[in-house]
Amino acid sequence: MTAGTTPLFVITTDDVLRVQLSEMLGVAWQVTPATSITEAHLHLLDLREHIPPDLAAAAEQAPIVGLVHDPAGAVAVLQAGVHEALTTAELLPLCLMRALTAAQIRWQIEYRRRQQLAEARAQVQAITVRLQNEQIRDPLTGLYTRRYLQETLERELRRADREQIVLSVALIDIDQLEQVNWQFGRALGDVTIQHVAGLIRRNVRGGDIFCRYGGDEFLLVLPRVTPETIVHRAEQWRSAIAHSVIRPGTLDIQVTISIGTATFPRDARQAADLLQCVGEALYAAKMAGGNCIRPWPSALK
C-alpha cells in the first residue's frame, strides 16, 4: 500500500469486481481483498448472493457498504445492518465515493453513540454500586452495616441448618470509647473505631461476615466455627487490641475490647434468639470488668 492511498477492503468471490473497482477508484485508493471484516477499516461487501447472519455485529466493527443487485436487495441489506447499499447499476465512481463517504460518517456517528451509551451505562452501574454500598457498608469503617446483617444472618442460619453445620457469632464492644470521646473528642473516637475494626478485619476469614453493629460495637458471623474455636479466635482479637497502640499525632492511646460469643444450634436456632444470647454474653464480659471474653451460656453462671 503506497503512501497517501486509502484502503478499501473488498469481500467478494468475484475477481472481476475487484479489477473493476481498482480501475474505477484509481491510484487514490488501494483495493484490498479480504475474507472478513477488519475492525475500523472501510469495507465493500458483496451481498448479491446472500446476507450473512452476523452482518449487524460485523457492522459495529467497521463501516460497510453492501453491494446488491437491485433496490429491493438494498432495503434488505440496510435492514440487516450495513451503513450504505449500492446496486450494480449504481456502481459508478461518483455513486461509489458517495456511498463510501456516507458509510464512514454513519459508522462514526453510531460508534460515538455506542461509546456514549456504554459510558452512560457504566455511570449508572457505578452509581448503583455506590448506592448499594451506602446501604450495606458503614462509611467510617467500610464494614457491613447492621441492616446488611439483618438481611444475611437469617440466610446464613438457614444454610447452616440445611448443611447441618455450626455457626458462631461474636459481639465486640470497645471498652474505653466513651472515655476517649470525652477526653480527646469524637474525631479521635472515630480513629479508635477505625483502628479496632481494621485490626480485627486483618484476622477475619473471607467467608466471615464482619459488621459494625452499633456505635462502638461490632458483630461477626462465623460459619463452621465451633464454640471452642470462636473463644480461641476471640482471644486473638482481644490480645491484639490490648497490645496495640493508636498514635494520632503525638498521642498514644490504648483501648481494650470485651467479647461475647454464642453458637448455632447449641445456644439458639433463630436469629433474634442468637443475637439475644450473644448480647447477654457481652454484657457479662462488661460486668466482669471488660478486656475479656464470655461465651453464652457459661457467661450467665
Side-chain angles (χ1 to χ4, degrees):
M1 189 178 300
T2 60
T5 61
T6 303
L8 173 62
F9 290 81
V10 181
I11 300 178
T12 182
T13 57
D14 188 346
D15 292 332
V16 174
L17 175 63
R18 291 196 189 98
V19 173
Q20 181 183 358
L21 290 169
S22 296
E23 294 174 351
M24 184 184 304
L25 292 172
V27 296
W29 287 76
Q30 175 65 48
V31 176
T32 304
T35 56
S36 62
I37 304 297
T38 304
E39 186 175 357
H41 288 298
L42 185 62
H43 287 72
L44 178 68
L45 181 56
D46 190 352
L47 299 172
R48 290 175 293 178
E49 299 300 325
H50 74 285
I51 300 175
D54 59 346
L55 185 58
E60 291 186 1
Q61 302 300 313
I64 298 176
V65 175
L67 180 64
V68 295
H69 283 295
D70 51 44
V75 172
V77 299
L78 286 169
Q79 290 175 338
V82 299
H83 303 96
E84 283 294 324
L86 201 65
T87 66
T88 51
E90 297 171 321
L91 197 56
L92 301 169
L94 183 59
C95 293
L96 178 58
M97 294 299 296
R98 285 177 176 173
L100 294 174
T101 301
Q104 285 180 306
I105 294 172
R106 181 173 296 176
W107 181 81
Q108 289 169 353
I109 293 171
E110 292 179 357
Y111 179 76
R112 285 195 294 269
R113 180 182 58 81
R114 287 195 301 270
Q115 281 188 317
Q116 292 168 351
L117 183 59
E119 290 171 0
R121 286 174 176 168
Q123 290 175 354
V124 170
Q125 179 65 21
I127 292 172
T128 301
V129 170
R130 179 172 59 80
L131 292 175
Q132 290 174 340
N133 283 337
E134 287 177 356
Q135 292 179 340
I136 68 172
R137 291 286 185 181
D138 171 54
L140 180 63
T141 62
L143 302 179
Y144 289 118
T145 60
R146 187 165 183 164
R147 174 178 177 175
Y148 179 80
L149 172 71
Q150 293 169 341
E151 295 174 353
T152 56
L153 182 56
E154 291 280 4
R155 183 191 67 215
E156 291 297 321
L157 287 174
R158 287 194 299 270
R159 186 175 71 172
D161 187 43
R162 183 173 62 252
E163 298 178 4
Q164 296 295 295
I165 60 173
V166 297
L167 178 147
S168 291
V169 294
L171 186 57
I172 302 169
D173 180 86
I174 303 174
D175 293 325
Q176 295 88 6
L177 187 62
E178 289 185 5
Q179 180 181 345
V180 171
N181 285 334
W182 176 80
Q183 187 173 357
F184 302 108
R186 290 195 173 273
L188 288 188
D190 288 347
V191 172
T192 302
I193 291 171
Q194 291 173 324
H195 171 81
V196 172
L199 200 57
I200 295 175
R201 180 160 46 190
R202 289 197 289 271
N203 294 280
V204 169
R205 305 173 307 171
D208 298 337
I209 300 170
F210 190 14
C211 306
R212 187 178 180 192
Y213 195 62
D216 60 349
E217 290 183 341
F218 308 95
L219 191 136
L220 287 106
V221 179
L222 304 104
R224 302 181 185 275
V225 172
T226 64
E228 297 76 20
T229 301
I230 185 60
V231 171
H232 174 71
R233 292 185 62 185
E235 172 56 27
Q236 292 178 327
W237 304 331
R238 185 208 63 77
S239 178
I241 298 299
H243 290 90
S244 66
V245 179
I246 309 166
R247 291 191 171 92
T250 59
L251 297 174
D252 281 2
I253 300 173
Q254 284 188 282
V255 295
T256 59
I257 56 175
S258 299
I259 306 174
T261 68
T263 301
F264 165 92
R266 186 198 66 177
D267 302 329
R269 301 191 64 88
Q270 302 300 320
D273 296 336
L274 193 62
L275 291 175
Q276 182 176 344
C277 290
V278 77
E280 292 175 355
L282 174 62
Y283 179 77
K286 298 291 285 187
M287 290 301 99
N291 193 26
C292 64
I293 302 152
R294 291 294 183 268
W296 200 94
S298 61
L300 307 182
K301 296 178 182 178

